[in-house]
Every structure is written in structure tokens, then in C-alpha cells.
Amino acid sequence: MINPEEIYQLLQKEQWSNIIDILHKNKNEIANEPSLINAAQTFETVFLQKVREYPKDNKDINGVLGLLYVLHHGKFYKLTETNLKKLTIELAERSPFKEAYNYAKQYPDEEICKEIITNYESIVNEIEEARAISHSKSTINWIEVYNRLFELINNPEDVATYFSGPRFINAVREILPYHPDYSQYIQLRGQEGKSTSRRIFYYDILMDIDELTRIRIVDKITSIVKPFLPEKVQAIDMIMGKKVIDNDVISATKTESQADSNPVVFISYSWDDEAHKEWVLNLANKLTTDGVKVILDRYSLTAGKSVPFFIEQSISQAHKILIIFTPNYKLKADKRAGGVGYEYSIMNIDLYKNQTTNEKIIPVLRTGEMKESIPEFMQQFIHLDLRKDENFHISYSDLIREIYNEPAIIQPEIGNKPNFN
């Protein structure tokens, strides 16, 4: 028979999936043993409190929430009514579109559920309106719009405006949450024998949907690009029949000035494995959406380009340098091996010159302990700890503030001496 202490130990370690497994496999024992019932209900309460600390897009946590919901409704384990309500509302906040709506309908009087229901029904109404007018002939020259749009987002050298396949599809999914993600879509195209050329499949995605939704997606993309290429976006708006306000037209000089105001950040990291490379790429993408011009090898380095030249130019151009420390990074840096070794050598020279006034290099600890991941000379500098994905939103807030030189705590101005009389 299972010991309640096992549940408490797993609870302390936040090993939620293992507890779910116990609830499922030992449902009969738990239902008839008061000490186990108490341990299970403690898990419910603690988990549903802790879950608020996890990001809404945490797949592991969302999976546990879904399993717990299935356990209850499959009569494998019965939640208390209070915790069932908390669980259902949490799922409503974390689920996409129709799923969120279905969860929210179970508690329609809760404020968050009212908001989800209203948003869903509003989108459904828009879709119905689009279908109602789809029979009418479009007055927009979509071929010209698309050609201009693709030119707008097809410059790999400009990370702010460039839309890779995943970035384009993520923009589509913000309007159409149930559209396949990038890997699913490319796999589907391959199965159907269709081209996976970006120019072709971007066009197919836009032309396969109703015009109202297509307009919303184009507006979404152009709103991101507009601060950097306002005149080209204005041309697209005019073709689509939008009114262009004179004050909205930004001169080329102003555009360049605005672009210059965006901080430039170079990310130095080692290619440890695919998961680490993906994490770094996701970090670069998030920084880009927050107005940072990121220099990343995977954005810029292609066949035939010089790696040393890229590294030298990147370090020279960057306002800030993020070094993503891992045990493998330290190993390569200490041995001065490969691209990491070359990058570290150049950065070290600058650091030796400016040890007391370093404002350029931001050390980031991703995996391992400080002594095993950060070279000895670098250990003297305060680092940001991004090892725990569940706390990423907090650590990222510290990072983005550091990049923009916007500290969370600002020392107030010195006041006047008090009157002691």
C-alpha cells in the first residue's frame, strides 16, 4: 500500500506528474484511507496555489492540469468542489480558443469566464460576418499586396522585420489559434506534395482563408514592421483601401533615428544540444519582439560567410552582449576552442580593460552551478540566473530592464537636511 509520506515528499519537490500517476494507480486505496485522502487533498490545494506562479504557456504544467481534470471526470479521482472550480478556471485561462470557451461555460458567473466567453463569441461573430460577405467580389488587389508584404518581411539581415517560417505562422496563430504550428504545417505540406518555399506557403496560407481574417493577419504583421519601414507599410495600406493620415507618415530620417534607438544585443552561447539551441533562439525572438535588435549566429550566418569576421563585427556593433553560460560553454572558453573560444578571447580583452566599469557584458547562467559553468575570471561579475524555466518571466524582466538600462529600483534624489530644532 502506498505511504502518504510519498505524496508529501513529491509535493515538496513539485513533482506534480508523479503525484498524478499515484492518484490514478492507487485510486481505490486513496478513496478508503483517511491519511491518503488528506495527502491527496493537500496536493490539490498546494498545486492549485503554486500553478499560478507558472507561465500560462508552460506545456508541462498545462498537461498536469489536463490530466487532473480527466482523472476527476473519468471518476478515477474525485476533486473537492472548490478545487474543481479552481482547476477548471485555470484551464480556461490557459487553453486556446474553443477549449477555453468550453471550460469557461462551466462557471459563466466568474469574471474571467465572462471575459473568455465574450471574446470567443465576438470572434465567432466576426467569422460569421466574413463568411456572409465572402461571396462578394474583393476590391483589393491581393497579388500586389502579397508581393509587397513578402518584400517587406524577407530581409534576413534585419531581425526586426524579418519573418521566418515559425514567426510568420505564430502571427497567423494569434488570429487563428487552431492553425497548425510551423512543424505540423510543414509536415502536412510535405505529405501533400506541396512546396515548402516560404514565398509560396505564406501566400497559400493567406489565400486559403476568408478576406476579413486575411486583412487581420496582414494588419498584425504590418503593425510589427511599421516602426522600421513606415513608407512601405503605408503603400500596402493604400492598396488595401485604408485612409492614410499625413501625421502617420514618418520620414526616412526619423525612421533611421528610431532604429538607432533600439538597443543592439549580441548573444554568445555554445551549441550544447538542440534543446539549448532552441531555448536561445526563443530568447532571441522574444527580445526582438520587445524592441531589441538581436545579433544571433542562426539569424545571420549562412554558407560562405566568415565566422571570425561575424564575431568581430557583432561584438563591435553590440550595445550589450549576453553570454549564456553552461558547463560546455566554460569548457570551450577555457580551451579557447571554436567560435565560443574566439568570442570569449575578444570579450576578455575588453573586460580586462574595464573590470570596474563593465556595462556591456551581461552574464546569464543557464545550466549548472556557477563554478562549473562560468570561467573563473567571469565569476567576479553578478550574473542573471535563468536556470528555472518556471521563473523565466521574472528573470526575463530583470534581463530586459538591464538591456534598456531601466532598473526596477531607482535611488531617490538626496533631500534637505531635517530641521532638528
Side-chain angles (χ1 to χ4, degrees):
M1 180 176 175
I2 186 173
N3 188 325
E5 189 60 28
E6 290 183 49
I7 295 178
Y8 291 121
Q9 289 177 359
L10 293 171
L11 183 61
Q12 190 173 18
K13 297 175 183 177
E14 298 190 5
Q15 295 183 359
W16 314 120
S17 296
N18 292 339
I19 299 176
I20 292 289
D21 194 45
I22 289 173
L23 297 182
H24 179 224
K25 292 180 179 177
N26 302 276
K27 55 182 180 293
N28 294 328
E29 292 87 342
I30 291 173
N32 297 304
E33 173 55 47
S35 63
L36 288 173
I37 292 173
N38 185 61
Q41 290 182 350
T42 300
F43 155 69
E44 291 178 33
T45 303
V46 173
F47 173 62
L48 291 170
Q49 288 174 345
K50 281 277 187 181
V51 79
R52 306 296 297 181
E53 300 174 9
Y54 290 90
K56 297 295 183 185
D57 59 354
N58 187 307
K59 293 181 181 180
D60 292 336
I61 288 297
N62 294 347
V64 174
L65 287 165
L67 286 173
L68 191 55
Y69 187 85
V70 169
L71 284 183
H72 176 86
H73 288 279
K75 299 183 179 179
F76 293 105
Y77 172 78
K78 188 170 177 63
L79 289 153
T80 65
E81 285 300 318
T82 299
N83 286 334
L84 175 62
K85 182 177 180 179
K86 290 180 180 178
L87 171 67
T88 307
I89 292 174
E90 193 67 41
L91 282 166
E93 291 187 70
R94 292 169 174 264
S95 300
F97 206 49
K98 184 66 179 291
E99 290 177 48
Y101 176 70
N102 288 335
Y103 287 125
K105 285 199 300 182
Q106 297 178 45
Y107 298 97
D109 295 331
E110 294 294 319
E111 285 303 315
I112 184 63
C113 293
K114 287 180 183 177
E115 183 180 338
I116 290 169
I117 291 169
T118 300
N119 289 342
Y120 172 83
E121 291 178 347
S122 173
I123 291 172
V124 168
N125 288 337
E126 284 188 21
I127 293 172
E128 289 177 351
E129 288 174 11
R131 287 174 179 166
I133 65 173
S134 63
H135 65 278
S136 61
K137 186 177 180 180
S138 174
T139 58
I140 298 174
N141 183 343
W142 279 108
I143 293 177
E144 184 177 357
V145 168
Y146 178 72
N147 286 339
R148 288 176 178 271
L149 179 69
F150 190 77
E151 179 189 14
L152 198 67
I153 62 176
N154 192 40
N155 180 9
E157 300 298 323
D158 188 344
V159 295
T161 63
Y162 179 66
F163 273 69
S164 62
R167 189 182 186 190
F168 182 86
I169 287 184
N170 284 341
V172 172
R173 282 166 60 85
E174 288 191 35
I175 309 300
L176 297 172
Y178 282 104
H179 189 282
D181 63 26
Y182 177 73
S183 60
Q184 292 169 337
Y185 184 76
I186 292 300
Q187 184 179 11
L188 185 62
R189 300 263 312 176
Q191 291 170 353
E192 295 174 349
K194 295 180 178 179
S195 171
T196 54
S197 160
R198 290 170 48 256
R199 187 180 194 107
I200 294 174
F201 81 73
Y202 288 8
Y203 181 81
D204 287 349
I205 288 174
L206 291 174
M207 294 307 116
D208 284 346
I209 55 181
D210 62 81
E211 185 169 275
L212 183 58
T213 306
R214 191 184 308 152
I215 291 171
R216 291 179 64 198
I217 292 172
V218 171
D219 285 347
K220 173 69 182 177
I221 294 171
T222 54
S223 69
I224 295 171
V225 179
K226 189 172 184 177
F228 307 97
L229 299 169
E231 293 178 346
K232 290 187 176 182
V233 171
Q234 178 189 341
I236 292 174
D237 287 344
M238 292 177 68
I239 296 168
M240 293 175 66
K242 295 182 181 180
K243 292 182 179 179
V244 178
I245 302 172
D246 290 340
N247 292 337
D248 202 32
V249 180
I250 307 173
S251 66
T253 303
K254 188 175 179 182
T255 303
E256 291 173 6
S257 174
Q258 184 170 10
D260 288 342
S261 70
N262 292 86
V264 179
V265 170
F266 172 56
I267 300 181
S268 174
Y269 69 107
S270 58
W271 284 29
D272 294 4
D273 52 38
E274 288 302 318
H276 182 60
K277 287 164 59 180
E278 188 68 13
W279 185 88
V280 173
L281 180 60
N282 289 336
L283 174 64
N285 290 342
K286 183 166 179 58
L287 288 171
T288 301
T289 62
D290 284 333
V292 178
K293 188 160 186 174
V294 177
I295 304 174
L296 186 72
D297 54 359
R298 296 182 70 187
Y299 285 160
S300 305
L301 275 182
T302 55
K305 290 195 174 182
S306 167
V307 174
F309 179 78
F310 165 76
I311 292 172
E312 292 168 10
Q313 288 291 101
S314 299
I315 292 174
S316 174
Q317 293 172 6
H319 301 133
K320 302 281 187 180
I321 298 173
L322 304 188
I323 307 181
I324 313 299
F325 285 116
T326 63
N328 191 44
Y329 189 101
K330 182 179 185 296
L331 182 66
K332 291 183 176 181
D334 287 344
K335 291 183 177 181
R336 299 299 191 266
V340 165
Y342 191 68
E343 291 169 12
Y344 187 74
S345 296
I346 297 175
M347 292 183 290
N348 242 7
I349 294 170
D350 188 67
L351 271 176
Y352 272 117
K353 293 178 182 177
N354 305 284
Q355 290 186 48
T356 60
T357 59
N358 171 45
E359 295 182 353
K360 185 169 184 177
I361 295 177
I362 304 175
V364 174
L365 182 58
R366 174 56 185 160
T367 58
E369 298 301 321
M370 182 177 72
K371 289 187 177 181
E372 66 176 324
S373 298
I374 303 179
E376 186 174 352
F377 175 71
M378 281 283 196
Q379 291 176 17
Q380 65 180 295
F381 302 104
I382 296 172
H383 65 266
L384 295 177
D385 191 337
L386 269 71
R387 289 176 293 180
K388 292 185 178 181
D389 289 339
E390 60 268 27
N391 295 331
F392 177 81
H393 60 295
I394 298 173
S395 303
Y396 179 80
S397 176
D398 294 337
L399 173 60
I400 198 72
R401 282 183 173 277
E402 188 73 19
I403 290 171
Y404 277 99
N405 296 316
E406 292 283 353
I409 299 174
I410 300 175
Q411 183 177 357
E413 294 182 6
I414 296 177
N416 298 320
K417 177 182 176 181
N419 185 349
F420 296 105
N421 297 325

